[in-house]
Amino acid sequence: MSINLQALFAQLLVGLINGSFYALLSLGLAVIFGMLNIINFAHGALYMMGAFCAYFLLNALNIGYWPALIVAPVAVGIFGMILERTMLKWISGLDHLYGLLLTFGMALIIQGVFQNYFGSSGLPYAIPDVLKGGMNLGFMFLPIYRGWVVIFSLIVCLLTWYLIERTRLGANLRAATENPTLVRAFGINVPRMITLTYGLGVGLAALAGVLSAPINQVRPLMGADLIIVVFAVVVIGGMGSIMGSIITGFALGIVEGLTKYFYPEASNTVVFVLMVLVLLIKPSGLTGRAA
Amino acid sequence: MTTITENAIPEPRRGTSDAMIAFVIMTALLVVVPLTGVYPFFVMQALCFALLACAFNLLIGYGGLLSFGHAMFLGTAGYFTAHALKVWGVTPELGILIGTVGAAALGVITGVIAIRRQGIYFAMITLALSQLLYFVYLQTPFTHGEDGIQGIPQGYLFGIFNLSKPITLYYVILAGFLLGFLLIYRAINSPFGEVLKAIRENEPRAISLGYKTDQYKLLAYILSGTLAGFAGSLKVFVAQNASLTDVHWTMSGEIVLMTLVGGLGTIFGPVVGAFVIIAMQQYLAGFGQWVTVIQGAIFVICVLTFRRGVIGEIAHYFRRSL
């Protein structure tokens, strides 16, 4: 089999980009799971909201891509914090499964509302002028925007990791996960920290949405199918560590890209197949703690 | 950590007589349905989903395992039955058998994988497995992809009952539903069911008492999947098609919703829940996508304020086990 390098690298790049989204989303899921003990099924819907938010800012308020990178995650993050204060708060202490069911309901509502107003077809979002075009790297043609997405999300992932694993705020956060009562005794407002954490996780999802808007079309169901792949990524990675989510996210994107080149029929299923294999060998996931 | 169905089980159990009375009332109501002029297609469809929800409830209500991929059993059995009937031209009873056995086999394969993790991980794994299957069915030729298998012949059950006559079909579906329902009821009230409940309440203790809990959970999963498949095979005769919607994960969500509305861990809850949700879809169809929003809202309301579900609340109020 002769290998077409041009096509192989193109698929690898697509894989890396999908990997960026997987990493940002599973990172947000991990942060939320650590603090709230909830698997946030609404994560895909909030990712979609991020993309729509960017679309709105551009078309209704004429606010371009660069401000949207900040405004959209903050806006959706605030929306997430409202959700946490009004709903998620009431089920803390109940079985994990209630969190899954509640956020699933929230996802249905959000997606349904967007489908009503925008239909199911996609809306285009133009690539910002600075990032248009591409570079010839000699062995492949690199569209600049795609390269930007990969590098930018990698930086965001690492910053989040640094925030949680290396700063005082992160230390408080991790302590509150382990023992909320004790942390509260030190005068730290744990409920507020929980709300902010949910906002952070949601903001990461919305950021992924803004990044994906120029690549994928802005659609109400853009997050619905993606979230299931991300769940598979989470099962494979095990959600044991922040770094684990990031590495697993990118790695699985690359694996998916390679599959698209060598055996395209399996590209939709390879992540799930990998999940099965990992579960058979190491049920707790690659970086996970035992359940 | 409280178990998910804790609220649904009222404390004092007064034997099984309450359930018996409720069962007789339910059966009587369902038997007279064709005489009342209610649209029979709607009731038949609801019965198939009721059995499906009961099978799902066996797993979560008594085993504490939330499967978010139960649509895969519905869809798989549906495709197998539809293919056998249409392409191989088998008799209806053989078609149902093929579909149900297919679902059982799927239960064995996916169960061995999924049962290795618990709680939300179990839910995510079943969800991912069903999505894997969705893509497989999207690509394999025998399912006809997006078109699905259409125009399935209904034929004569056991060579006697003409299934293309609505009234005959109705009673056959009803008989199938009652058979499945009684089987689930029997399983719940057997030593097997008691062990299952013990595992739900406190798995480490069940293990320390010497029960191989994984085997019990796997058996419950396979039983649940097989009965869900049975419901899917019956549904083929009602809808006369098998399509991708039955395998998609939103269908799994609907199954969870039906059970949640009716009452997790109650015997009759899933039946009531299925009728409520199917009726809602039937009569709110004009609202288009708002139906999704309404379903989501019901999910949220149920989880926040109404965790026992319709039957769970009634049972709790009268302190009965339903």
Side-chain angles (χ1 to χ4, degrees):
Chain A
M1 180 175 175
S2 70
I3 292 178
N4 178 349
L5 275 183
Q6 195 84 12
L8 175 63
F9 281 116
Q11 290 302 348
L12 264 180
L13 183 64
V14 171
L16 263 178
I17 287 175
N18 284 334
S20 314
F21 299 143
Y22 298 161
L24 282 171
L25 291 176
S26 65
L27 176 62
L29 281 177
V31 170
I32 291 171
F33 183 70
M35 203 62 200
L36 286 82
N37 256 321
I38 282 175
I39 282 285
N40 188 25
F41 214 121
H43 221 64
L46 295 160
Y47 158 85
M48 174 270 289
M49 280 182 77
F52 264 98
C53 199
Y55 179 82
F56 265 119
L57 289 172
L58 186 68
N59 290 293
L61 306 172
N62 212 9
I63 293 173
Y65 178 81
W66 300 104
L69 269 184
I70 297 169
V71 177
V74 170
V76 180
I78 290 171
F79 176 73
M81 288 193 253
I82 295 170
L83 290 183
E84 198 278 330
R85 272 290 148 111
T86 51
M87 288 192 253
L88 290 172
K89 192 175 110 180
W90 300 106
I91 56 155
S92 65
L94 292 175
D95 195 288
H96 294 332
L97 299 174
Y98 283 119
L100 187 77
L101 297 179
L102 178 62
T103 49
F104 177 68
M106 287 171 8
L108 284 184
I109 296 176
I110 297 171
Q111 277 162 7
V113 168
F114 276 82
Q115 269 185 298
N116 273 309
Y117 286 108
F118 301 99
S120 292
S121 53
L123 306 165
Y125 186 93
I127 295 177
D129 285 336
V130 191
L131 300 175
K132 273 188 183 144
M135 274 187 291
N136 198 342
L137 299 179
F139 57 92
M140 72 173 294
F141 180 79
L142 173 74
I144 291 177
Y145 185 76
R146 293 174 181 244
W148 151 255
V149 168
V150 174
I151 292 167
F152 182 69
S153 36
L154 195 59
I155 292 170
V156 171
C157 284
L158 293 177
L159 279 178
T160 312
W161 169 82
Y162 185 84
L163 176 76
I164 291 171
E165 300 286 341
R166 291 286 181 271
T167 63
R168 181 152 190 90
L169 179 71
N172 289 343
L173 205 107
R174 281 178 289 132
T177 316
E178 292 293 323
N179 192 339
T181 327
L182 189 68
V183 172
R184 196 175 287 187
F186 280 106
I188 291 166
N189 188 339
V190 174
R192 190 172 69 197
M193 209 141 87
I194 290 178
T195 310
L196 285 175
T197 308
Y198 192 72
L200 173 71
V202 167
L204 285 172
L207 183 69
V210 181
L211 287 175
S212 92
I215 299 177
N216 308 306
Q217 298 231 305
V218 181
R219 291 178 301 120
L221 293 181
M222 64 191 286
D225 290 327
L226 181 66
I227 190 69
I228 298 175
V229 182
V230 174
F231 278 1
V233 171
V234 165
V235 172
I236 294 171
M239 227 157 48
S241 70
I242 301 288
M243 198 44 105
S245 313
I246 301 171
I247 294 171
T248 318
F250 275 101
L252 286 171
I254 293 170
V255 169
E256 213 179 44
L258 287 176
T259 316
K260 219 169 259 172
Y261 178 78
F262 288 107
Y263 188 58
E265 290 82 1
S267 61
N268 278 329
T269 53
V270 66
V271 173
F272 303 116
V273 173
L274 265 177
M275 181 193 80
V276 169
L277 291 176
V278 169
L279 281 171
L280 289 175
I281 300 161
K282 194 167 183 288
S284 55
L286 295 177
T287 61
R289 301 161 289 197
Chain B
M1 193 60 61
T2 55
T3 54
I4 193 160
T5 54
E6 186 189 55
N7 290 332
I9 310 297
E11 276 311 311
R13 279 193 59 194
R14 299 199 191 172
T16 52
S17 60
D18 295 336
M20 277 307 192
I21 294 165
F23 179 75
V24 170
I25 295 171
M26 178 183 79
T27 311
L29 280 176
L30 289 171
V31 167
V32 299
V33 158
L35 310 173
T36 59
V38 178
Y39 189 40
F41 177 77
F42 155 69
V43 185
M44 283 193 273
Q45 214 193 3
L47 280 174
C48 294
F49 279 104
L51 180 55
L52 182 63
C54 286
F56 166 78
N57 182 46
L58 171 68
L59 198 57
I60 182 161
Y62 299 90
L65 292 166
L66 171 64
S67 156
F68 226 112
H70 246 52
M72 65 181 157
F73 298 112
L74 176 78
T76 300
Y79 275 133
F80 280 25
T81 304
H83 185 78
L85 288 171
K86 192 172 179 188
V87 179
W88 298 341
V90 300
T91 53
E93 61 275 13
L94 201 56
I96 293 174
L97 186 69
I98 289 171
T100 312
V101 169
L106 181 68
V108 175
I109 298 166
T110 56
V112 168
I113 298 160
I115 222 81
R116 303 176 132 234
R117 299 298 302 271
Q118 292 159 2
I120 39 177
Y121 281 97
F122 179 81
M124 292 199 294
I125 290 161
T126 46
L127 182 59
L129 286 171
S130 81
Q131 191 68 359
L132 167 68
L133 223 62
Y134 174 84
F135 283 120
V136 170
Y137 288 141
L138 185 65
Q139 286 175 351
T140 44
F142 93 95
T143 60
H144 299 285
E146 305 272 357
D147 299 333
I149 307 178
Q150 306 280 347
I152 293 150
Q154 288 164 311
Y156 286 79
L157 185 72
F158 303 119
I160 310 165
F161 302 110
N162 183 359
L163 296 183
S164 50
K165 266 176 74 182
I167 188 90
T168 316
L169 180 63
Y170 177 79
Y171 283 111
V172 168
I173 299 287
L174 178 59
F177 164 73
L178 292 175
L179 179 75
F181 185 87
L182 286 173
L183 203 73
I184 292 170
Y185 183 75
R186 190 73 200 88
I188 290 168
N189 291 290
S190 67
F192 168 71
E194 296 299 329
V195 177
L196 220 51
K197 280 176 238 176
I199 294 172
R200 180 194 67 197
E201 298 301 330
N202 192 338
E203 185 164 358
R205 187 174 291 175
I207 294 172
S208 73
L209 287 171
Y211 290 109
K212 293 198 167 65
T213 57
D214 275 359
Q215 288 179 7
Y216 279 92
K217 287 195 286 189
L218 182 60
L219 196 57
Y221 181 86
I222 296 168
L223 184 62
S224 171
T226 308
L227 284 165
F230 180 53
S233 290
L234 290 179
K235 188 171 161 288
V236 167
F237 293 93
V238 180
Q240 289 193 52
N241 69 44
S243 68
L244 279 171
T245 26
D246 288 352
V247 209
H248 198 254
W249 63 269
T250 45
M251 179 62 82
S252 301
E254 276 177 31
I255 300 167
V256 181
L257 182 60
M258 288 170 189
T259 315
L260 189 66
V261 167
L264 290 170
T266 61
I267 299 162
F268 293 93
V271 181
V272 174
F275 271 83
V276 170
I277 299 298
I278 296 293
M280 217 182 73
Q281 286 172 350
Q282 180 92 17
Y283 295 108
L284 300 183
F287 288 94
Q289 282 304 329
W290 287 114
V291 177
T292 322
V293 180
I294 296 168
Q295 282 188 348
I298 295 176
F299 247 111
V300 169
I301 293 166
C302 278
V303 173
L304 285 179
T305 63
F306 192 56
R307 277 188 285 277
R308 290 192 191 102
V310 176
I311 294 296
E313 290 289 347
I314 294 172
H316 184 79
Y317 183 77
F318 290 107
R319 302 203 156 268
R320 300 290 168 102
S321 175
L322 284 171

